[in-house]
Structure formats: structure tokens, C-alpha cells
Amino acid sequence: MAQTSTAETNSELIGSHHGQVSAGDIAVGVIVGRTSEFFDFFVYAIASVIVFPKLVFPMHDPLVGTLYSFCIFALAFVARPFGSVLFMAIDRAYGRGAKLTIALFLLGTSTVAIAFLPAYGDIGAVAVWLLALARIGQGLALGGTWDGLPSLLALNAPQNRRGFYAMIPQLGAPIGLIVASSLFAFFVANLSADDFFSWGWRYPFFVAFAINVVALFARLRIVVTPEFSKLYEGGDLQPTRIRDTIRAEGHNVVIGAFAPLASFALFHMVTVFPLSWVFLFTNEGPARFLMIEAVSALFGIAAIVASGPLADRVGRRALLGGSAIAIATFSGFAPQLLDGGAVGEALFMVLGFILLGLSFGQSSGVVASRFSRQYRYTGSAITSDLAWMFGAGFAPLAALLLAGNFGLIAAGAYLLSGAACTLLALWIDGRRPAADRQPD
């Protein structure tokens, strides 16, 4: 086992007063960790729509400025696999605690750096490069925040409750969105435009740093538990070299990256893209739609929770395939709903989040179940990085570019393509000999 870092030692002393950490404690650590990541993610995503086009790209019209902002938004997803390579090496050399501490410090530093970003009017094009650099820093850090806790939950899950345990990490996404949307809605609604663009938009980025500190200790408390250490030493949560993992599990990595594509594409189609569409092409202010997103995310939480028993009853792959068909159907009338005024927008968001919850709730479980014990930890991390990059990283940019030039129906076609990729990946996987597939 790699040498124990100072951070791990301190965390172990903190946790020693509570004895052995229970499965409930692991679940809390997973949810806190994922919530912090997604809060960072959504704070940047919301700012990329309502702040950065005006602050960093004022020389362009709002649509072009938002497209440029989404280009920088995608940089984190491109950088994330490189972060995994870097931090896996740190993990092997110095331990899981050192890896998480460095990764979350980099994530927090990059996030706070954005809060201090000068406007284009103050420093010119340097503002663009500073924003891009901070976004790359966030992406590298996100690659290092993979802690193996979802795998720990999955490995400890009873045979008949795998779906329930698989959905727990996914709860962090809607919770992070609710907090980020509510925070931005408060500042947008209660500050003048001058105050908001001067200092109000910066406050959520400072909050993100504080949440990262809490998440760090919540996760470090888990990674030094006897359960985690035993699985680490036994190879279940042992980091392996990227090239070895791809050589041994390349087919599973590819299938795992494309199997959840429908849910990952829908993820941004009901979070980032609709905010950009409403902000650019309607007369509505962002505060009201941000609250619609926050309320709709509550339906997403309920759907994620429901995905657990559903997956345990029908199987995770069956649920993912059924959800992809439902998402494909939704793509046919979703554009009309989003363009249907206040009622249509609300229906679009609620239905979208319900479908997202059912599919996204089991996306990580389908990925993790494919890998052999030796490569589970690293294989799950690589697959997650690629799935986010292909399925979500460029989704807001592609959807807005298509919708801005060809209308909302083109954004629906983009979502349909994601559903088609999921069904194709599941079909290819289903044709493999049963002996080559991990149990559902």
C-alpha cells in the first residue's frame, strides 16, 4: 500500500473518535463530495450564460459571446482525463489522501481565481486567457477528485439492492444545481445590474471554495476506514496504470463511455442549454428560470431515488435502455415545450428532470459493474471522464449552435443522437457472450 500522507493521518485521528465508519457514513461522504463537485460545476455553468458573455466577451453580440463562453466551458471536460492520469500517479506514489487534498485544493484555487477575474474592459484579451486557464485547472482537479467511494458502496451493496446503492452518488447533481441556481437567483433578483456584474456574481464562487473544504474532510474521513483500506490493499480500489487498464478493459471503457450518453446529453439539455435559450431568445429575466430549474431538480431527486428500486426489479441495463427510448421520444416534442411560454418551459424542465433522474441515477452503476476487480477503480474513473467529455462537455455549445442557426428542433435532434448512441452501445454489449459480461 502507498505510504500514508499527513492529510490521511490527520483525518484518521479525526475519525478515530467515532469508530468504524458505517455504510450510512460512506453514503453521506459520497453525497457531500458529489454535491461539492456539481455545485462548482453549476456555478460556472450559470455564470457562463449570464456573466461571462458580458464580462469577458463584450466585443461580440450576446449569442456569439455565449458560444465562446461555452467553448471555454468545454475545456474542463477535455482536461479531465489528463487530470485522471496525473492524479492516479500521485495516488500510487503518495496515497489517496494526498491525491484528494491536492485535487480539491486545485479545484478550490481555480474556482476562487474565477471570482477575482477582471473584466475584458480592464485587461483586454488577458481576461479570456485567465478564464480559460482557471477552467482547465478545474478540469484537471476534477480528474483527481475520483475517490472510489461509489465503487466502495457498490462493492458493499447487497445482491438485491445494487440499483439502490448505485443511485446514491448521483444525488449530488440535483442538490448542487438547487443550491447554485437558488444562490444566483437571489443575487440576480435583489441586486442592481451594476452591482451584480461588479461583485454579486463573484460570491457563489467563494461559497464553492468553502464547500470544497467541507467535502475534503468528509471524504478523507472515509478513505482511511478499515473497509476502504482492506479493499485498497486487496486490489478492489487500487489504482492501476492507465495504459494497463485500457489494454485489459478497453472494450468495457468504450462501451461504458457511450452507454450513458443519452442521460449525459440530457443532463445539459435541461440545465445549461435551456437557461441560455431563455436568456438569449426571450424577454424573461434569468432569476425566474433559475428558480424553475431549482424546483424541477426536486423532481430529479425523486426520480433518481426511484431509479434504485426500479433497477433492482428490472435490471440497470434494461432501465438505461428504456430511459434512452423515453429520451428519444421526449426529443420529438421537447423543443415545442421549451418554446411554449412559462407553462411549456415548466413542463419541459419537470419532464426532462424526471427522465434525467431515471437514467442518470443508474449510469454510474452500469459503468462500474463492467470491470474486473483489479481494474475497477481506474476503469471507472477513465470511463466517467470520457462519458462526460463526449456526452456532456460539448452539449451546451452544440445545442445552442444548432438551435441558434436552425431553430429549437435541431437541439431536439442532437438529444435524439445521444439516445441513439446509448441504444447502440447497449445493443453491442448485449451481443457479447454472457461469460464476458459482469452481472447486472
Side-chain angles (χ1 to χ4, degrees):
M1 182 176 177
Q3 68 185 64
T4 303
S5 69
T6 303
E8 285 175 307
T9 302
N10 292 339
S11 180
E12 189 167 15
L13 291 173
I14 293 171
S16 64
H17 300 291
H18 303 282
Q20 189 166 313
V21 179
S22 66
D25 290 327
I26 298 172
V28 171
V30 169
I31 293 174
V32 170
R34 294 299 175 268
T35 298
S36 71
E37 292 175 17
F38 280 108
F39 179 75
D40 276 21
F41 169 86
F42 284 119
V43 163
Y44 186 92
I46 294 170
S48 69
V49 174
I50 65 178
V51 176
F52 298 142
K54 180 180 178 64
L55 189 80
V56 183
F57 301 103
M59 74 295 287
H60 300 289
D61 66 71
L63 174 58
V64 174
T66 304
L67 289 172
Y68 279 126
S69 182
F70 282 165
C71 287
I72 294 180
F73 175 83
L75 289 177
F77 296 93
V78 177
R80 186 168 175 167
F82 296 96
S84 289
V85 173
L86 172 64
F87 283 99
M88 285 292 177
I90 294 174
D91 193 341
R92 292 192 302 271
Y94 301 104
R96 192 71 37 90
K99 168 194 168 182
L100 286 175
T101 302
I102 296 171
L104 287 172
F105 179 79
L106 176 59
L107 181 61
T109 302
S110 300
T111 301
V112 169
I114 296 173
F116 288 103
L117 182 73
Y120 182 91
D122 297 324
I123 60 174
V126 176
V128 179
W129 292 105
L130 289 177
L131 180 61
L133 181 63
R135 187 61 178 158
I136 291 172
Q138 286 184 316
L140 292 173
L142 285 171
T145 57
W146 184 262
D147 49 22
L149 292 183
S151 296
L152 181 60
L153 274 176
L155 289 167
N156 288 328
Q159 184 73 21
N160 62 342
R161 301 197 71 193
R162 287 178 173 176
F164 176 82
Y165 279 79
M167 68 82 185
I168 291 175
Q170 310 303 76
L171 291 171
I175 295 173
L177 175 62
I178 290 170
V179 178
S181 296
S182 301
L183 195 58
F184 263 105
F186 174 81
F187 283 106
V188 170
N190 291 281
L191 294 178
S192 66
D194 289 341
D195 285 342
F196 177 77
F197 284 104
S198 174
W199 61 268
W201 71 270
R202 304 176 189 272
Y203 185 79
F205 287 90
F206 291 115
V207 174
F209 179 78
I211 291 177
N212 281 333
V213 173
V214 175
L216 173 62
F217 284 99
R219 294 161 112 172
L220 287 178
R221 182 172 179 266
I222 304 299
V223 301
V224 298
T225 60
E227 296 96 332
F228 199 102
S229 298
K230 181 179 179 181
L231 289 167
Y232 187 94
E233 292 170 346
D236 289 306
L237 297 179
Q238 181 74 33
T240 54
R241 295 187 181 278
I242 302 292
R243 63 174 179 270
D244 295 338
T245 303
I246 294 177
R247 186 181 298 117
E249 301 277 0
H251 186 277
N252 286 329
V253 168
V254 174
I255 294 296
F258 284 93
L261 215 60
S263 59
F264 281 17
L266 181 61
F267 186 92
H268 281 168
M269 290 295 288
V270 296
T271 55
V272 185
F273 167 71
L275 177 63
S276 67
W277 176 265
V278 169
F279 189 65
L280 290 171
F281 295 101
T282 73
N283 294 322
E284 303 172 24
R288 186 188 67 84
F289 194 79
L290 285 170
M291 291 312 301
I292 290 177
E293 283 195 333
V295 173
S296 300
L298 295 173
F299 289 88
I301 291 176
I304 289 174
V305 173
S307 75
L310 277 174
D312 289 329
R313 180 180 294 271
V314 304
R316 284 177 293 191
R317 289 181 179 82
L319 179 59
L320 195 59
S323 299
I325 294 174
I327 291 171
T329 304
F330 177 69
S331 70
F333 61 87
Q336 290 81 3
L337 288 179
L338 186 57
D339 202 28
V343 175
E345 291 168 4
L347 285 173
F348 170 87
M349 294 299 294
V350 170
L351 290 175
F353 266 102
I354 291 174
L355 291 177
L356 177 63
L358 292 174
S359 58
F360 184 68
Q362 296 301 310
S363 61
S364 67
V366 170
V367 169
S369 68
R370 300 177 183 279
F371 296 104
S372 60
R373 189 188 74 170
Q374 179 182 358
Y375 299 104
R376 186 191 305 270
Y377 175 79
T378 303
S380 296
I382 298 171
T383 303
S384 177
D385 291 344
L386 295 178
W388 279 109
M389 183 172 70
F390 293 127
F394 297 94
L397 174 64
L400 184 59
L401 187 63
L402 289 170
N405 287 280
F406 305 104
L408 277 173
I409 191 67
Y414 177 81
L415 182 58
L416 177 62
S417 69
C421 287
T422 289
L423 292 172
L424 178 62
L426 293 175
W427 177 77
I428 292 173
D429 186 59
R431 292 176 61 85
R432 297 171 64 190
D436 293 340
R437 289 183 277 122
Q438 298 293 326
D440 191 25

